[in-house]
Amino acid sequence: MAKILIIDDEQSIRSTLREILEYEKYTIDEAKDGQEGLDKLIANKYDIALCDVKMPKMDGIELLERVQMAGIDTQFIMISAHGTIETAVDATKMGAFDFVPKPPDLNRLLLTVKNALDKSSLVTETKTLKKKLSKRYEMIGESESLSEVKEMMDKVGPTDARVLITGPNGSGKELVARGIHERSNRSSAPFIEVNCAAIPAELIESELFGHEKGAFTSAHKQRIGKFEQANEGTLFLDEIGDMSLSAQAKVLRALQEHKITRVGGDKDINVNVRVLAATNKDLRQEIADSNFREDLYHRLSVIVVQVPALKERKEDISLLVDKFLDDIAHEYGTKKKEVTEDGIDALKAYDWSGNIRELRNVTERLVIMCGERIGADDVKKYLV
Protein backbone atom coordinates (compact mmCIF):
# COMPACT_ATOMS: atom_id res chain seq x y z
CA MET A 1 0.00 0.00 0.00
CA ALA A 2 1.47 3.33 -1.09
CA LYS A 3 2.12 5.80 1.73
CA ILE A 4 1.55 9.52 1.14
CA LEU A 5 2.43 12.48 3.37
CA ILE A 6 0.32 15.64 3.01
CA ILE A 7 2.23 18.76 4.11
CA ASP A 8 0.03 21.88 4.27
CA ASP A 9 -0.69 24.53 6.88
CA GLU A 10 -4.44 24.58 6.03
CA GLN A 11 -6.42 21.92 7.89
CA SER A 12 -9.23 22.07 5.32
CA ILE A 13 -6.83 21.27 2.45
CA ARG A 14 -5.28 18.38 4.38
CA SER A 15 -8.71 16.97 5.19
CA THR A 16 -9.90 17.23 1.58
CA LEU A 17 -6.78 15.59 0.16
CA ARG A 18 -6.90 12.87 2.83
CA GLU A 19 -10.52 12.05 1.99
CA ILE A 20 -9.78 11.84 -1.75
CA LEU A 21 -6.66 9.72 -1.38
CA GLU A 22 -7.97 7.39 1.32
CA TYR A 23 -10.93 6.66 -0.96
CA GLU A 24 -8.32 5.46 -3.49
CA LYS A 25 -6.92 3.13 -0.78
CA TYR A 26 -3.70 5.07 -0.11
CA THR A 27 -2.25 5.27 3.42
CA ILE A 28 -2.18 8.93 4.47
CA ASP A 29 -0.20 10.89 7.03
CA GLU A 30 -0.26 14.66 7.65
CA ALA A 31 2.10 17.48 8.66
CA LYS A 32 0.92 21.02 9.40
CA ASP A 33 4.15 22.82 8.38
CA GLY A 34 7.49 22.30 6.69
CA GLN A 35 9.43 21.48 9.85
CA GLU A 36 6.98 18.80 10.93
CA GLY A 37 7.02 17.47 7.38
CA LEU A 38 10.82 17.22 7.42
CA ASP A 39 10.77 15.42 10.78
CA LYS A 40 8.27 12.87 9.48
CA LEU A 41 10.14 12.36 6.21
CA ILE A 42 13.33 11.64 8.14
CA ALA A 43 11.59 9.29 10.58
CA ASN A 44 9.38 7.39 8.12
CA LYS A 45 9.39 6.08 4.57
CA TYR A 46 6.86 7.76 2.24
CA ASP A 47 6.35 7.10 -1.45
CA ILE A 48 4.96 10.59 -2.14
CA ALA A 49 4.79 13.95 -0.39
CA LEU A 50 2.05 16.42 -1.42
CA CYS A 51 3.66 19.64 -0.29
CA ASP A 52 2.34 23.21 -0.14
CA VAL A 53 4.76 25.93 -1.26
CA LYS A 54 3.78 28.74 1.18
CA MET A 55 3.99 27.53 4.80
CA PRO A 56 5.20 28.85 8.17
CA LYS A 57 8.54 27.80 9.73
CA MET A 58 9.82 26.29 6.49
CA ASP A 59 8.31 26.73 3.03
CA GLY A 60 7.92 23.92 0.51
CA ILE A 61 10.91 24.90 -1.65
CA GLU A 62 13.24 24.95 1.36
CA LEU A 63 11.80 21.63 2.55
CA LEU A 64 12.38 20.09 -0.88
CA GLU A 65 15.98 21.33 -0.81
CA ARG A 66 16.56 19.85 2.65
CA VAL A 67 15.05 16.53 1.57
CA GLN A 68 17.29 16.41 -1.51
CA MET A 69 20.37 17.11 0.62
CA ALA A 70 19.38 14.33 3.02
CA GLY A 71 19.11 11.83 0.15
CA ILE A 72 15.45 11.00 0.86
CA ASP A 73 13.83 9.27 -2.15
CA THR A 74 10.23 10.46 -1.61
CA GLN A 75 8.64 11.87 -4.77
CA PHE A 76 7.47 15.48 -4.20
CA ILE A 77 4.32 16.91 -5.77
CA MET A 78 4.19 20.65 -5.02
CA ILE A 79 0.78 22.31 -4.57
CA SER A 80 0.08 26.03 -4.25
CA ALA A 81 -2.61 28.64 -4.73
CA HIS A 82 0.16 31.11 -5.60
CA GLY A 83 1.62 29.01 -8.37
CA THR A 84 3.56 30.64 -11.16
CA ILE A 85 5.54 29.19 -14.03
CA GLU A 86 8.73 30.36 -12.32
CA THR A 87 7.85 28.56 -9.09
CA ALA A 88 6.96 25.38 -10.95
CA VAL A 89 10.22 25.48 -12.91
CA ASP A 90 12.25 26.08 -9.74
CA ALA A 91 10.55 23.18 -7.98
CA THR A 92 11.09 20.71 -10.84
CA LYS A 93 14.72 21.81 -11.23
CA MET A 94 15.23 20.95 -7.59
CA GLY A 95 13.80 17.48 -8.08
CA ALA A 96 10.03 17.82 -7.58
CA PHE A 97 8.06 15.34 -9.66
CA ASP A 98 5.31 17.81 -10.60
CA PHE A 99 3.53 21.02 -9.64
CA VAL A 100 -0.26 21.14 -9.11
CA PRO A 101 -2.17 24.44 -8.58
CA LYS A 102 -4.80 24.90 -5.84
CA PRO A 103 -7.60 24.02 -5.81
CA PRO A 104 -6.35 20.79 -7.43
CA ASP A 105 -8.29 19.22 -10.27
CA LEU A 106 -9.28 15.77 -8.96
CA ASN A 107 -8.49 13.80 -12.12
CA ARG A 108 -5.16 15.54 -12.66
CA LEU A 109 -4.17 15.06 -9.02
CA LEU A 110 -4.90 11.32 -9.08
CA LEU A 111 -3.09 10.88 -12.39
CA THR A 112 -0.07 12.79 -11.06
CA VAL A 113 -0.04 10.64 -7.91
CA LYS A 114 -0.20 7.47 -10.03
CA ASN A 115 2.67 8.61 -12.24
CA ALA A 116 4.75 9.63 -9.22
CA LEU A 117 4.18 6.18 -7.69
CA ASP A 118 5.35 4.57 -10.92
CA LYS A 119 8.54 6.62 -10.74
CA SER A 120 8.98 5.80 -7.04
CA SER A 121 8.71 2.08 -7.84
CA LEU A 122 11.22 2.46 -10.66
CA VAL A 123 13.70 4.29 -8.41
CA THR A 124 13.38 1.57 -5.76
CA GLU A 125 13.80 -1.19 -8.33
CA THR A 126 16.85 0.51 -9.83
CA LYS A 127 18.48 0.86 -6.41
CA THR A 128 17.81 -2.83 -5.68
CA LEU A 129 19.33 -3.87 -8.99
CA LYS A 130 22.35 -1.62 -8.40
CA LYS A 131 22.89 -3.21 -4.98
CA LYS A 132 22.70 -6.68 -6.53
CA LEU A 133 25.11 -5.64 -9.28
CA SER A 134 27.46 -4.04 -6.78
CA LYS A 135 27.42 -7.21 -4.66
CA ARG A 136 28.08 -9.32 -7.75
CA TYR A 137 31.24 -7.34 -8.49
CA GLU A 138 32.32 -6.98 -4.86
CA MET A 139 36.01 -7.60 -4.19
CA ILE A 140 36.26 -10.26 -1.49
CA GLY A 141 39.23 -10.33 0.87
CA GLU A 142 40.95 -8.65 3.80
CA SER A 143 44.61 -9.16 2.89
CA GLU A 144 46.99 -6.24 3.07
CA SER A 145 47.64 -6.25 -0.69
CA LEU A 146 43.92 -6.20 -1.54
CA SER A 147 43.25 -3.53 1.09
CA GLU A 148 45.81 -1.31 -0.65
CA VAL A 149 43.98 -1.79 -3.97
CA LYS A 150 40.64 -0.89 -2.35
CA GLU A 151 42.19 2.20 -0.76
CA MET A 152 43.46 3.34 -4.17
CA MET A 153 40.01 2.72 -5.66
CA ASP A 154 38.45 4.90 -2.95
CA LYS A 155 40.90 7.72 -3.70
CA VAL A 156 40.82 7.66 -7.49
CA GLY A 157 37.16 6.67 -7.96
CA PRO A 158 35.60 10.14 -7.38
CA THR A 159 38.05 11.76 -9.82
CA ASP A 160 38.07 11.65 -13.62
CA ALA A 161 41.67 10.44 -13.75
CA ARG A 162 42.54 7.72 -16.24
CA VAL A 163 43.66 4.49 -14.57
CA LEU A 164 45.82 1.64 -15.87
CA ILE A 165 45.02 -1.63 -14.07
CA THR A 166 47.73 -4.28 -14.26
CA GLY A 167 47.85 -7.86 -13.04
CA PRO A 168 47.74 -11.47 -14.21
CA ASN A 169 44.75 -13.04 -15.94
CA GLY A 170 41.91 -13.93 -13.60
CA SER A 171 43.11 -11.68 -10.76
CA GLY A 172 40.10 -9.35 -10.81
CA LYS A 173 41.09 -6.40 -12.99
CA GLU A 174 37.51 -6.01 -14.25
CA LEU A 175 36.25 -5.86 -10.65
CA VAL A 176 38.68 -3.01 -9.97
CA ALA A 177 37.45 -1.15 -13.05
CA ARG A 178 33.80 -1.59 -12.06
CA GLY A 179 34.59 -0.57 -8.48
CA ILE A 180 36.24 2.64 -9.68
CA HIS A 181 33.22 3.38 -11.90
CA GLU A 182 30.78 2.80 -9.02
CA ARG A 183 32.73 5.23 -6.83
CA SER A 184 32.71 7.94 -9.51
CA ASN A 185 30.32 10.75 -10.37
CA ARG A 186 29.62 8.77 -13.56
CA SER A 187 28.19 5.76 -11.70
CA SER A 188 24.67 6.34 -13.06
CA ALA A 189 26.02 6.55 -16.64
CA PRO A 190 27.08 3.57 -18.80
CA PHE A 191 30.02 1.29 -18.04
CA ILE A 192 31.10 -0.08 -21.42
CA GLU A 193 33.66 -2.86 -21.63
CA VAL A 194 35.78 -3.77 -24.66
CA ASN A 195 37.98 -6.87 -24.66
CA CYS A 196 40.72 -5.77 -27.04
CA ALA A 197 42.20 -9.27 -27.22
CA ALA A 198 38.93 -10.84 -28.40
CA ILE A 199 38.35 -8.52 -31.38
CA PRO A 200 40.27 -9.04 -34.64
CA ALA A 201 42.70 -6.21 -35.43
CA GLU A 202 40.80 -5.26 -38.59
CA LEU A 203 37.56 -4.79 -36.60
CA ILE A 204 38.81 -3.07 -33.44
CA GLU A 205 38.53 0.45 -34.89
CA SER A 206 34.93 -0.15 -35.95
CA GLU A 207 34.20 -1.58 -32.48
CA LEU A 208 35.65 1.44 -30.70
CA PHE A 209 34.68 4.31 -32.99
CA GLY A 210 31.77 2.91 -35.02
CA HIS A 211 31.42 3.09 -38.78
CA GLU A 212 29.30 4.70 -41.43
CA LYS A 213 27.12 2.74 -43.82
CA GLY A 214 29.22 1.53 -46.76
CA ALA A 215 32.54 2.12 -44.97
CA PHE A 216 33.57 -1.44 -45.93
CA THR A 217 32.01 -4.47 -47.59
CA SER A 218 29.92 -5.73 -44.66
CA ALA A 219 28.98 -2.26 -43.34
CA HIS A 220 25.32 -2.44 -44.37
CA LYS A 221 24.25 0.20 -41.85
CA GLN A 222 25.70 2.83 -39.55
CA ARG A 223 27.11 1.54 -36.26
CA ILE A 224 27.69 3.46 -33.03
CA GLY A 225 31.03 2.58 -31.45
CA LYS A 226 31.92 1.97 -27.83
CA PHE A 227 33.27 5.49 -27.28
CA GLU A 228 29.89 6.97 -28.19
CA GLN A 229 28.02 4.34 -26.19
CA ALA A 230 30.10 5.24 -23.12
CA ASN A 231 29.53 8.99 -23.49
CA GLU A 232 29.26 10.66 -20.04
CA GLY A 233 30.25 7.29 -18.53
CA THR A 234 33.23 4.96 -18.36
CA LEU A 235 34.96 2.99 -21.13
CA PHE A 236 36.95 -0.01 -19.93
CA LEU A 237 39.60 -1.18 -22.41
CA ASP A 238 40.50 -4.66 -21.20
CA GLU A 239 43.74 -6.27 -22.45
CA ILE A 240 44.77 -3.03 -24.13
CA GLY A 241 48.25 -4.45 -24.67
CA ASP A 242 46.76 -6.50 -27.53
CA MET A 243 45.43 -3.46 -29.41
CA SER A 244 46.86 -2.75 -32.87
CA LEU A 245 49.15 0.27 -33.32
CA SER A 246 46.71 1.95 -35.73
CA ALA A 247 43.88 1.66 -33.19
CA GLN A 248 46.24 2.94 -30.47
CA ALA A 249 46.84 6.09 -32.51
CA LYS A 250 43.11 6.77 -32.76
CA VAL A 251 42.56 6.10 -29.05
CA LEU A 252 45.36 8.56 -28.29
CA ARG A 253 43.62 11.23 -30.40
CA ALA A 254 40.31 10.56 -28.62
CA LEU A 255 42.02 11.00 -25.24
CA GLN A 256 43.82 14.16 -26.32
CA GLU A 257 41.00 15.92 -28.16
CA HIS A 258 37.89 14.25 -26.71
CA LYS A 259 36.79 13.62 -30.30
CA ILE A 260 36.37 10.54 -32.47
CA THR A 261 35.61 9.90 -36.15
CA ARG A 262 33.65 6.87 -37.29
CA VAL A 263 35.32 4.56 -39.80
CA GLY A 264 34.39 5.80 -43.27
CA GLY A 265 33.26 9.18 -41.92
CA ASP A 266 34.78 12.64 -41.87
CA LYS A 267 32.75 14.23 -39.08
CA ASP A 268 34.30 14.83 -35.65
CA ILE A 269 32.10 13.63 -32.79
CA ASN A 270 32.67 15.04 -29.31
CA VAL A 271 32.82 12.44 -26.53
CA ASN A 272 33.06 12.82 -22.76
CA VAL A 273 34.39 9.48 -21.59
CA ARG A 274 36.51 8.35 -18.67
CA VAL A 275 38.88 5.65 -19.91
CA LEU A 276 40.08 2.81 -17.69
CA ALA A 277 42.48 0.29 -19.21
CA ALA A 278 43.78 -3.08 -18.09
CA THR A 279 46.51 -5.43 -19.21
CA ASN A 280 48.38 -8.54 -18.10
CA LYS A 281 51.40 -7.49 -20.16
CA ASP A 282 54.44 -5.44 -19.19
CA LEU A 283 53.66 -2.37 -21.29
CA ARG A 284 57.12 -0.88 -20.78
CA GLN A 285 58.58 -3.99 -22.39
CA GLU A 286 55.95 -3.77 -25.13
CA ILE A 287 57.09 -0.17 -25.75
CA ALA A 288 60.71 -1.33 -25.96
CA ASP A 289 59.62 -3.99 -28.48
CA SER A 290 57.74 -1.32 -30.52
CA ASN A 291 54.39 -3.01 -29.88
CA PHE A 292 52.85 -0.22 -27.80
CA ARG A 293 52.92 3.58 -28.10
CA GLU A 294 54.79 5.29 -25.29
CA ASP A 295 52.66 8.45 -25.57
CA LEU A 296 49.47 6.38 -25.17
CA TYR A 297 50.98 4.60 -22.16
CA HIS A 298 51.58 7.92 -20.43
CA ARG A 299 48.05 9.10 -21.29
CA LEU A 300 46.53 5.97 -19.77
CA SER A 301 48.72 5.59 -16.68
CA VAL A 302 47.86 8.71 -14.68
CA ILE A 303 47.21 6.21 -11.90
CA VAL A 304 48.49 2.63 -11.99
CA VAL A 305 46.73 -0.01 -9.88
CA GLN A 306 48.55 -3.33 -9.54
CA VAL A 307 46.12 -6.16 -8.75
CA PRO A 308 47.87 -8.93 -6.79
CA ALA A 309 47.88 -12.55 -7.95
CA LEU A 310 45.95 -14.98 -5.76
CA LYS A 311 49.21 -16.64 -4.61
CA GLU A 312 50.13 -13.24 -3.09
CA ARG A 313 46.94 -13.09 -1.00
CA LYS A 314 46.27 -16.70 -0.01
CA GLU A 315 44.82 -15.56 3.32
CA ASP A 316 41.76 -14.44 1.31
CA ILE A 317 41.06 -17.93 -0.06
CA SER A 318 38.70 -18.97 2.75
CA LEU A 319 36.57 -15.82 2.28
CA LEU A 320 36.54 -16.27 -1.50
CA VAL A 321 35.55 -19.94 -1.27
CA ASP A 322 32.73 -19.11 1.16
CA LYS A 323 31.41 -16.48 -1.29
CA PHE A 324 31.63 -18.94 -4.19
CA LEU A 325 29.81 -21.61 -2.17
CA ASP A 326 26.99 -19.12 -1.52
CA ASP A 327 26.79 -18.15 -5.19
CA ILE A 328 26.83 -21.74 -6.45
CA ALA A 329 24.16 -22.86 -3.98
CA HIS A 330 21.97 -19.98 -5.13
CA GLU A 331 22.57 -20.73 -8.81
CA TYR A 332 21.87 -24.46 -8.43
CA GLY A 333 19.01 -24.04 -5.95
CA THR A 334 20.70 -26.40 -3.49
CA LYS A 335 21.90 -26.34 0.09
CA LYS A 336 25.22 -24.60 0.62
CA LYS A 337 28.11 -27.03 1.03
CA GLU A 338 31.06 -26.65 3.39
CA VAL A 339 34.81 -26.84 2.86
CA THR A 340 36.56 -28.10 5.99
CA GLU A 341 39.55 -26.41 7.55
CA ASP A 342 41.97 -28.99 6.13
CA GLY A 343 40.24 -28.55 2.76
CA ILE A 344 40.97 -24.81 2.88
CA ASP A 345 44.59 -25.58 3.82
CA ALA A 346 44.85 -27.83 0.76
CA LEU A 347 43.49 -25.03 -1.43
CA LYS A 348 46.00 -22.59 0.05
CA ALA A 349 48.85 -24.96 -0.75
CA TYR A 350 48.06 -24.81 -4.49
CA ASP A 351 49.85 -22.36 -6.83
CA TRP A 352 46.72 -20.89 -8.56
CA SER A 353 48.24 -19.87 -11.88
CA GLY A 354 44.69 -19.07 -13.06
CA ASN A 355 44.04 -16.91 -9.99
CA ILE A 356 40.51 -16.17 -8.73
CA ARG A 357 38.85 -17.39 -11.94
CA GLU A 358 40.51 -20.79 -11.46
CA LEU A 359 39.53 -20.88 -7.77
CA ARG A 360 35.90 -20.24 -8.73
CA ASN A 361 35.97 -23.08 -11.26
CA VAL A 362 37.59 -25.48 -8.82
CA THR A 363 35.05 -24.61 -6.13
CA GLU A 364 32.19 -25.34 -8.52
CA ARG A 365 33.83 -28.65 -9.49
CA LEU A 366 34.12 -29.65 -5.83
CA VAL A 367 30.47 -28.75 -5.18
CA ILE A 368 29.35 -30.95 -8.08
CA MET A 369 31.60 -33.93 -7.38
CA CYS A 370 31.75 -34.06 -3.55
CA GLY A 371 29.44 -34.51 -0.59
CA GLU A 372 28.15 -31.96 1.90
CA ARG A 373 31.56 -31.54 3.56
CA ILE A 374 34.54 -31.07 1.26
CA GLY A 375 37.83 -32.10 2.84
CA ALA A 376 41.52 -32.13 1.91
CA ASP A 377 41.28 -35.53 0.15
CA ASP A 378 38.46 -34.19 -2.06
CA VAL A 379 40.50 -31.12 -2.92
CA LYS A 380 43.58 -33.16 -3.85
CA LYS A 381 41.47 -35.55 -5.94
CA TYR A 382 39.74 -32.89 -8.05
CA LEU A 383 42.33 -30.11 -8.05
CA VAL A 384 43.76 -30.63 -11.54
Side-chain angles (χ1 to χ4, degrees):
M1 183 67 67
K3 194 172 182 182
I4 299 175
L5 176 64
I6 301 169
I7 310 168
D8 199 299
D9 59 323
E10 296 182 55
Q11 175 63 52
S12 59
I13 294 292
R14 298 201 304 272
S15 298
T16 300
L17 292 174
R18 173 186 281 274
E19 183 178 350
I20 293 168
L21 295 169
E22 283 186 337
Y23 182 80
E24 298 294 326
K25 308 301 183 186
Y26 297 122
T27 300
I28 305 301
D29 200 358
E30 297 181 21
K32 63 181 180 298
D33 55 52
Q35 185 58 58
E36 184 181 356
L38 180 61
D39 293 341
K40 290 195 172 186
L41 285 161
I42 292 172
N44 304 287
K45 167 65 179 170
Y46 297 97
D47 298 287
I48 294 176
L50 288 170
C51 183
D52 191 14
V53 173
K54 300 292 184 180
M55 292 184 294
K57 295 187 179 179
M58 183 189 303
D59 66 30
I61 298 296
E62 183 184 352
L63 172 59
L64 177 59
E65 186 177 11
R66 297 277 290 274
V67 165
Q68 294 288 324
M69 291 173 61
I72 297 170
D73 290 333
T74 303
Q75 298 297 317
F76 262 65
I77 299 173
M78 310 303 292
I79 51 177
S80 178
H82 310 283
T84 65
I85 292 176
E86 290 76 16
T87 306
V89 168
D90 287 344
T92 51
K93 277 184 177 179
M94 291 179 58
F97 178 78
D98 205 348
F99 187 95
V100 177
K102 286 184 183 179
D105 175 84
L106 176 59
N107 291 327
R108 179 184 170 183
L109 176 66
L110 293 178
L111 179 61
T112 302
V113 167
K114 179 182 179 301
N115 291 339
L117 284 174
D118 289 342
K119 182 177 180 182
S120 179
S121 298
L122 185 61
V123 168
T124 302
E125 184 179 344
T126 301
K127 284 199 166 187
T128 302
L129 290 172
K130 276 195 169 185
K131 284 181 181 178
K132 286 182 179 178
L133 186 64
S134 179
K135 193 170 183 180
R136 178 184 173 188
Y137 293 111
E138 181 183 6
M139 298 193 74
I140 305 298
E142 298 174 353
S143 61
E144 183 178 348
S145 58
L146 187 64
S147 297
E148 290 175 0
V149 170
K150 290 179 179 178
E151 184 178 347
M152 288 191 72
M153 290 164 62
D154 289 336
K155 288 181 178 178
V156 75
T159 74
D160 256 352
R162 289 183 287 275
V163 182
L164 178 63
I165 306 163
T166 62
N169 284 333
S171 58
K173 296 188 293 294
E174 181 191 351
L175 298 186
V176 173
R178 288 186 178 274
I180 290 171
H181 174 70
E182 287 179 3
R183 289 163 171 78
S184 74
N185 295 329
R186 299 172 182 260
S187 60
S188 59
F191 176 90
I192 303 295
E193 180 180 358
V194 180
N195 187 336
C196 301
I199 303 169
E202 62 271 16
L203 296 179
I204 187 69
E205 292 182 30
S206 172
E207 186 74 14
L208 290 174
F209 309 111
H211 61 248
E212 299 292 353
K213 181 179 179 181
F216 44 86
T217 304
S218 59
H220 300 302
K221 61 181 180 180
Q222 185 189 73
R223 176 175 180 172
I224 303 300
K226 300 299 186 183
F227 264 90
E228 285 184 81
Q229 292 176 33
N231 195 38
E232 304 297 334
T234 301
L235 179 65
F236 175 45
L237 301 176
D238 197 9
E239 303 304 347
I240 196 169
D242 293 284
M243 182 181 288
S244 67
L245 287 169
S246 62
Q248 290 177 34
K250 290 195 174 183
V251 169
L252 179 63
R253 175 180 180 260
L255 296 181
Q256 288 174 331
E257 303 177 11
H258 306 288
K259 294 178 182 178
I260 61 154
T261 304
R262 298 190 192 120
V263 176
D266 55 9
K267 177 184 175 183
D268 285 340
I269 300 168
N270 293 323
V271 288
N272 176 11
V273 174
R274 181 185 193 179
V275 173
L276 309 176
T279 183
N280 64 343
K281 294 185 175 182
D282 181 347
L283 290 188
R284 291 191 177 276
Q285 185 59 51
E286 292 297 304
I287 292 168
D289 295 339
S290 300
N291 294 325
F292 201 84
R293 295 181 62 111
E294 186 173 9
D295 46 5
L296 177 58
Y297 172 78
H298 291 301
R299 284 281 175 179
L300 292 171
S301 60
V302 176
I303 302 291
V304 178
V305 177
Q306 173 68 43
V307 183
L310 184 56
K311 64 184 179 183
E312 297 169 4
R313 44 178 288 223
K314 287 191 173 181
E315 60 266 47
D316 291 334
I317 284 178
S318 59
L319 293 173
L320 286 162
V321 169
D322 188 64
K323 170 68 163 56
F324 296 151
L325 290 172
D326 274 330
D327 292 345
I328 294 164
H330 179 73
E331 289 171 16
Y332 288 11
T334 58
K335 182 181 177 183
K336 179 182 175 181
K337 293 190 176 183
E338 176 190 355
V339 178
T340 62
E341 189 172 338
D342 67 335
I344 292 293
D345 289 339
L347 290 171
K348 288 181 178 179
Y350 187 64
D351 186 54
W352 299 112
S353 59
N355 293 291
I356 296 170
R357 189 178 298 133
E358 184 183 10
L359 177 61
R360 172 60 165 81
N361 292 342
V362 167
T363 305
E364 186 169 7
R365 185 186 308 146
L366 292 170
V367 168
I368 294 170
M369 302 302 295
C370 304
E372 294 300 314
R373 286 172 57 82
I374 301 168
D377 291 340
D378 297 314
V379 172
K380 292 171 184 175
K381 181 177 180 180
Y382 293 108
L383 191 56
V384 293

